[in-house]
Amino acid sequence: MFYLQTPVGVLGIQEEGGSIVQVQLNCSPGKCRNETPVPPVLEEAVCQLKEYFAGTRQTFELPLNPGGTGFMKMVWKELQKIPYGETVSYKDIAAALNSPGAARAVGMANNRNPLPILIPCHRVVGKNGALTGYRGGLDMKRALLDLERSVKKG
């Protein structure tokens, strides 16, 4: 696990077999000790996350291997299509998957996304545009969306 201090708190990034498998939000800063040597994929993930928070990266180019059901993986693949700085609803994602009645299941897949930020579940909002649950808290979700919108306006 590699720990990275960001504007939204400490992230814990884990790799297995050359792929990123988990991003933990809200890690306790006092318990964060990075192990050495750092695998190259973690070095690249840290570099790309720093660029993202600096506003110079809008997409991630990393080997990702999130564990989940087939449906979850389809949702997460769809989340990666949401343009930087934009939002869609759970209903929109369900419709894109040809499962218009699956908005709740999409919400559960979002909740179980093991790679938040890298797979941008923060870009999914309620059908009325309201911010809804986020594992890192609504303040973090708002901060990520505000960052992206400010860069996009730039």
Side-chain angles (χ1 to χ4, degrees):
M1 182 80 64
F2 188 92
Y3 297 96
L4 174 65
Q5 178 67 53
T6 74
V8 296
V10 178
L11 305 179
I13 310 157
Q14 183 178 348
E15 74 82 39
E16 266 179 33
S19 294
I20 305 299
V21 296
Q22 184 176 26
V23 173
Q24 292 180 354
L25 305 175
N26 298 322
C27 294
S28 174
K31 296 182 180 180
C32 299
R33 291 189 182 90
N34 289 318
E35 298 176 20
T36 54
V38 178
V41 71
L42 282 181
E43 287 181 0
E44 184 59 26
V46 166
C47 179
Q48 290 188 28
L49 281 161
K50 286 180 178 179
E51 292 169 349
Y52 170 81
F53 285 108
T56 60
R57 175 173 289 277
Q58 296 186 4
T59 59
F60 294 100
E61 298 166 7
L62 296 165
L64 305 178
N65 190 14
T69 66
F71 180 78
M72 289 175 176
K73 289 178 180 184
M74 287 188 327
V75 170
W76 300 333
K77 192 170 252 348
E78 198 63 34
L79 296 180
Q80 292 175 309
K81 297 176 186 176
I82 305 170
Y84 180 90
E86 296 183 23
T87 58
V88 301
S89 71
Y90 297 96
K91 185 177 179 178
D92 295 333
I93 297 292
L97 295 172
N98 294 317
S99 299
R104 276 196 176 178
V106 167
M108 290 304 297
N110 249 22
N111 183 32
R112 293 198 172 110
N113 174 10
L115 295 167
I117 303 174
L118 301 178
I119 296 177
C121 54
H122 61 277
R123 297 179 189 155
V124 183
V125 298
K127 66 181 175 183
N128 63 356
L131 294 187
T132 55
Y134 187 65
R135 185 180 312 148
L138 291 183
D139 287 341
M140 182 183 291
K141 185 172 189 167
R142 186 175 297 106
L144 292 168
L145 291 171
D146 287 348
L147 166 73
E148 292 181 7
R149 288 175 180 147
S150 69
V151 169
K152 195 170 178 182
K153 284 181 184 176

